[in-house]
Amino acid sequence: MWRRTWPLGVLLLATACGTVNAGNGVECTAIGTRVGVSVDVEHPEVVSGTIEVCWDGSCATPALELYPSSRVAETTCTGTSPDDSCSARSEPTEGKHGFADLPGLPAKPVDVTLRLLDQSGSSLVDRNIALTPEMVYPNGPDCPAGGPQAGISVGADGSITER
């Protein structure tokens, strides 16, 4: 009986683990990609913000929630073999980060207006920037793209740049 059913088991296992990209034998999983604009803020007084993204004559104003950022402060490893373990300790920074989901974001130039506010609601940053979202390949370049993303970095002085 096992001789007749083992091909079905192999097929089910391959389907559960991912798909193989036709032609080159690379496994491509069904991992998702968020489509939109990420924002990294170093300005210590920023507590909230809004973003407007425009292309082809229309604009979208997705939610932009900002969260405290952290960085890796220390790492330790028990050795160098694949069976060894490592750990990392993180510490907060004065920055914030967020992501504005935009399902219809194209992989072509867009105009963005970013407004960042302090605790009292006063504007700290109100700037426009042109961004060019790029396709993201969560399984690597040999697998299908997940969707376009763009990024903005905001310096402690309020300057903004494309990431």
Side-chain angles (χ1 to χ4, degrees):
M1 176 173 156
W2 290 109
R3 287 184 192 175
R4 286 183 274 168
T5 59
W6 77 266
L8 178 60
V10 171
L11 178 63
L12 289 174
L13 182 61
T15 303
C17 293
T19 60
V20 176
N21 191 5
N24 62 10
V26 174
E27 288 199 26
C28 301
T29 66
I31 191 170
T33 299
R34 291 178 78 181
V35 174
V37 179
S38 65
V39 178
D40 289 313
V41 181
E42 290 182 23
H43 197 300
E45 296 176 38
V46 169
V47 296
S48 65
T50 63
I51 190 168
E52 180 180 63
V53 183
C54 302
W55 68 92
D56 293 338
S58 64
C59 296
T61 54
L64 175 63
E65 290 189 49
L66 296 175
Y67 301 96
S69 294
S70 61
R71 68 173 176 242
V72 174
E74 178 183 350
T75 61
T76 58
C77 293
T78 61
T80 58
S81 91
D83 294 331
D84 291 328
S85 63
C86 293
S87 66
R89 186 180 61 81
S90 67
E91 64 184 16
T93 67
E94 292 184 353
K96 303 247 188 295
H97 66 276
F99 193 89
D101 288 300
L102 281 160
L105 185 68
K108 64 181 187 178
V110 297
D111 293 314
V112 177
T113 301
L114 180 66
R115 293 178 184 90
L116 300 174
L117 309 174
D118 66 11
Q119 186 68 35
S120 70
S122 297
S123 179
L124 296 171
V125 174
D126 188 350
R127 303 271 169 85
N128 296 321
I129 187 171
L131 302 177
T132 303
E134 294 182 6
M135 296 304 285
V136 175
Y137 296 85
N139 284 291
D142 294 329
C143 293
Q149 290 182 353
I152 299 173
S153 291
V154 181
D157 62 352
S159 62
I160 66 173
T161 56
E162 182 173 15
R163 234 182 342 98

